[in-house]
Structure formats: C-alpha cells, structure tokens
Amino acid sequence: MQVQTHKEECIMKLQAALDTLTLEECLALLDHTKGAVDIAEVGTPFIIECGMEPVRAIKAAHPEIEVLADAKIMDAGEFEADKCFEAGADIVTVLGVSYDETIEGVVRSAKTHGGQVMVDMIGVMDLAARARELDKMGVDYICVHTAFDIQGTGQKDPLEDLKVVNAVIENARAAVAGGVKLATVDAIAAEKPGVIVVGGAICNADDPAVMATAMKERMK
Amino acid sequence: MQVQTHKEECIMKLQAALDTLTLEECLALLDHTKGAVDIAEVGTPFIIECGMEPVRAIKAAHPEIEVLADAKIMDAGEFEADKCFEAGADIVTVLGVSYDETIEGVVRSAKTHGGQVMVDMIGVMDLAARARELDKMGVDYICVHTAFDIQGTGQKDPLEDLKVVNAVIENARAAVAGGVKLATVDAIAAEKPGVIVVGGAICNADDPAVMATAMKERMK
C-alpha cells in the first residue's frame, strides 16, 4: 500500500494551456490527444474574451479531462471562484500576490464545490516564504510561473523556482508554467512537480496532438 | 486658457462598478443615470462570467459613456489589452503588482487603439515608489484600491492611500476604489482624484439612479 501511495504522489499531470486557439481548435486538439492531456486550461485571454463559455463547452465535450479556469483571481476570491466552479471548472487559479483573505475565499469555494485551487506565483518576490504560507492554507497546487512578458529576459529560471517551492511544501504539490518545451521538460519532470503546464509548445506545434503525446511520454 | 486647463484637470469622473448586476440591470441603470455616470465599469466577476460581451453591449447602448474593462491584467499585457480595446473598451485595467513589461504592453495596446490605462494598485506594498515608476510609464490613472476581501479589516485607508499617490504623480491622475459610499465621498472628492469608483453603494442602493446622481453631485 505504501508503494501505491508513493506512486500516486509521483503522478505528474500534463496541463495544456489553451490560450491562442479557438474553441473549435481546442476541442479538436483534446479529441486527438486523448490520454495525453490531463488538464485542459482555459487561459486568461480566453476567459477575457469568452468568459466561462469555453469551460462549459470543454467540460461537456470531455468530462474525463479536468478543466482549469485560469482566472488569476486577485480579489473577491470566493465570489469569483464560485463562478468558475459553477461553470464546471475542476481547478481555479488565484494569484499568490493577492491577500490571504482572497486565497482563503478561493479555498472555501473549492471546498464547497469539491474543486481544487492552484496558486499562480507570478510576481511573488519571496517565493519560499509565500509558498510556505500558502502550503498551510490548504491550496492544492503552487505554480511557479515565468510570465509570458518576461520570457527570454533571463529574469526567471522555472527549474530553480520549482526546486525552491518543492523544498518547502508539505501538503500542496508544485506546478510549473511558462515556456516549457520538449527541450526543457526532462529536467523539470525530474523534480516531480504535480503538474507541468505547456502552452505555446503544444498550441503552436505543427501537430499539437503529436507534441502533447511526446510531452506526456517524458513525464512517465 | 490657463484657467480652462486648470478646470479641465480638476474634473472628477464617477465610475460605476457593475459587478453584481445582470446586463439588463446595468443597461437600465445607465439609462436612468444619464449624465451622472461617466465611466461604466465592467467588473472582473462580470468578465469572468461573460467575457467581453457586456463591454460590447454597454458601448453599443451608451456610446457617450466610457466603458472600462476591469480585466486586472497580470501577464500578456499587450495581447490581453488588445482583446479589451477591440471589444470597445475605452479604459483597461492592469495590476500594479505585474512586471513593468506587462504594464508597458498594456500602454502600447492603449496607444494603438486610442484607449486609456488604469493601474489597479491592489496588493502593492510600496505605494509611493510604485506610483512614481508607473507615472513615468505613461499610464493614465493610478487607482488606489482597498480590496473587497479586506474591506472592514482596517488594513487600508483609501483616503490616506490617495494622498500618497497624489503627492508623487506628475502625469497620471489618481483614482480611488473600494467601499466608497455617500458618507466618505466628500473627503475623497476634496483630494481631487481623476476618478472615483463606486460599486456596492450604487448597485445595492434602493434606487441606484438616485444614488449615482447624489454621488456625482458631491464631486462637482
């Protein structure tokens, strides 16, 4: 039984960030990648454009896939998370830079709806200290995230950030997002985060389904 | 001419934060408050639920009112702001805790579309230092914002925050949000922010139109 528990803890999920595709393209991608994509992320730009419609549509078409609403909540935690979970999201994101009261509201909403909470650590200055606090607040995932706008500037190293978070968390699992690609996924997977988020590398691939499957293979 | 310029600078706009009403209720409120509401804010929860649909609908019904999309952008600044401006928003919000690169992207998008940028200072630790930086980056409004989730905890005083920002800005104008009501609007208006944001006090009033008009009267 202990071995099984250990294996369970080591499962890594592939989260596909669907930021730049149309809803039809997203649904087609998920059709073609069955078994590879564990979590379908409805990205922030998608929510800004379409609200919860893609969450409802993806959940209806693929009830076996977890749907994450990347709402990046910053305030009104419980109220905003309620909207996401009520639309069918399994996981909702809240910003690590938000007030504790906001995080607590999102956690409360998740408990009510049987959902999960991922904290997006984008912009958090003291990663270890904040991860320690969040870990005690009952969140499910703490996601180190190299912002799209600073990718390529060398300001952030997702692998180093992942190690920092993994070193301090006891209850939550780590997640990694921001520019992950086939060339960098092995080193990240070696640190055994709970979730690896891949956006552009899948969405912009010549064959997104082949790329998603290749990524998932590296995570086993 | 100097007197006119001075008067122009002193104009205070009333922004109604439409967070908890249906689209029909929003449109009815704006019908009944003509002349009182300068800026109609499509609130973050409204965007999470409906995307840009309310922005399009309000702008179509009330082209004379400025529409603000409270997207609270944290990353992918230009890409996300583009979506809001293309939907008809006149003003888009970005978080003050985001990276400079993100703010700069939103400013770039605003320039392209002839729109404006409001920075939401929620969660910013060193208000004066960040306001000084943002002021140089070409944003239009710097909004001190007492988070909904910490209203009543005494952690923030919007009036004091407003004074801090007003003391350091040279190009942008200040805005104030978070729990503003009829009892507190006079002291805030005396500091002459460019925008006063009122949410619950209008939306939850017995007669929202009467309340909006009363608020606007105090701002003249």
Side-chain angles (χ1 to χ4, degrees):
Chain A
M1 279 301 283
Q2 275 191 320
V3 174
Q4 276 194 329
T5 306
H6 183 67
K7 270 183 73 178
E8 175 69 25
E9 276 175 3
C10 288
I11 285 176
M12 273 180 277
K13 294 182 179 177
L14 173 61
Q15 175 174 325
L18 309 169
D19 268 342
T20 55
L21 305 180
T22 65
L23 181 54
E24 290 66 32
E25 288 168 336
C26 290
L27 293 172
L29 186 146
L30 295 171
D31 275 337
H32 291 121
T33 53
K34 280 214 167 144
V37 174
D38 303 291
I39 304 171
E41 171 191 328
V42 177
T44 315
F46 209 169
I47 293 177
I48 288 177
E49 185 62 44
C50 302
M52 286 296 109
E53 186 204 332
V55 170
R56 289 192 187 89
I58 292 172
K59 198 66 205 176
H62 292 282
E64 79 287 2
I65 296 175
E66 291 181 89
V67 175
L68 177 141
D70 190 19
K72 289 191 177 67
I73 292 172
M74 183 65 188
D75 191 17
E78 186 165 14
F79 185 66
E80 294 185 4
D82 279 351
K83 288 188 176 286
C84 299
F85 288 125
E86 283 161 14
D90 299 287
I91 309 170
V92 170
T93 64
V94 58
L95 290 170
V97 291
S98 69
Y99 289 101
D100 289 354
E101 287 84 348
T102 300
I103 310 269
E104 288 161 358
V106 176
V107 170
R108 218 163 32 238
S109 172
K111 289 207 172 125
T112 304
H113 295 89
Q116 290 191 303
V117 178
M118 182 181 284
V119 182
D120 184 334
M121 299 297 272
I122 190 170
V124 169
M125 291 299 141
D126 189 339
L127 207 52
R130 190 62 175 145
R132 252 189 222 104
E133 291 170 353
L134 294 164
D135 190 50
K136 294 194 180 105
M137 292 165 74
V139 306
D140 300 280
Y141 298 104
I142 296 176
C143 183
V144 298
H145 183 181
T146 307
F148 176 82
D149 286 335
I150 65 159
Q151 285 173 29
T153 67
Q155 290 181 57
K156 277 277 175 190
D157 180 340
L159 189 57
E160 288 311 307
D161 286 352
L162 173 57
K163 288 177 183 172
V164 168
V165 168
N166 261 340
V168 300
I169 53 178
E170 294 179 358
N171 307 300
R173 293 203 63 188
V176 191
V180 179
K181 43 188 181 288
L182 209 53
T184 58
V185 73
D186 287 343
I188 289 168
E191 299 298 321
K192 304 212 178 304
V195 173
I196 299 179
V197 185
V198 184
I202 291 178
C203 292
N204 304 329
D206 288 340
D207 188 328
V210 168
M211 181 57 78
T213 306
M215 284 280 185
K216 183 66 185 177
E217 273 303 309
R218 306 290 189 98
M219 296 166 57
K220 280 176 179 167
Chain B
M1 279 302 281
Q2 276 192 319
V3 174
Q4 274 192 332
T5 307
H6 184 68
K7 270 181 73 178
E8 176 68 25
E9 277 176 1
C10 287
I11 285 176
M12 272 180 277
K13 292 182 179 177
L14 173 62
Q15 176 173 325
L18 309 169
D19 268 341
T20 55
L21 306 179
T22 65
L23 181 54
E24 290 66 34
E25 288 168 337
C26 290
L27 293 172
L29 185 146
L30 295 171
D31 276 337
H32 291 122
T33 53
K34 279 210 167 147
V37 174
D38 302 291
I39 304 171
E41 170 190 329
V42 177
T44 315
F46 209 169
I47 293 177
I48 288 178
E49 185 63 44
C50 302
M52 285 297 111
E53 185 203 332
V55 170
R56 289 192 187 89
I58 292 172
K59 198 66 205 174
H62 292 281
E64 79 287 1
I65 296 176
E66 291 181 89
V67 175
L68 177 141
D70 190 19
K72 290 191 177 66
I73 293 173
M74 183 66 188
D75 192 15
E78 185 164 15
F79 185 65
E80 294 186 2
D82 278 352
K83 289 190 175 282
C84 298
F85 288 126
E86 282 162 13
D90 300 286
I91 310 169
V92 170
T93 63
V94 58
L95 289 171
V97 291
S98 69
Y99 288 100
D100 288 356
E101 287 84 348
T102 300
I103 310 270
E104 288 161 0
V106 176
V107 170
R108 217 159 40 235
S109 173
K111 288 204 172 125
T112 303
H113 295 89
Q116 291 190 303
V117 178
M118 182 180 286
V119 182
D120 184 333
M121 300 296 271
I122 190 170
V124 170
M125 290 299 142
D126 189 338
L127 207 52
R130 190 63 175 144
R132 254 190 218 102
E133 291 170 355
L134 294 164
D135 190 49
K136 295 192 179 105
M137 293 166 73
V139 306
D140 300 280
Y141 297 104
I142 295 176
C143 183
V144 298
H145 184 180
T146 307
F148 176 81
D149 286 334
I150 64 158
Q151 284 173 29
T153 67
Q155 289 181 59
K156 278 275 176 191
D157 179 340
L159 189 58
E160 287 311 308
D161 286 352
L162 172 59
K163 288 176 183 172
V164 168
V165 168
N166 261 341
V168 300
I169 54 178
E170 294 178 358
N171 306 300
R173 293 203 62 189
V176 190
V180 178
K181 45 188 181 287
L182 209 53
T184 57
V185 73
D186 286 343
I188 290 168
E191 299 298 321
K192 304 211 178 302
V195 173
I196 298 179
V197 184
V198 184
I202 290 178
C203 293
N204 304 330
D206 289 339
D207 189 328
V210 167
M211 181 56 77
T213 307
M215 284 281 185
K216 182 68 184 174
E217 273 303 310
R218 305 290 188 98
M219 296 166 58
K220 280 177 180 165

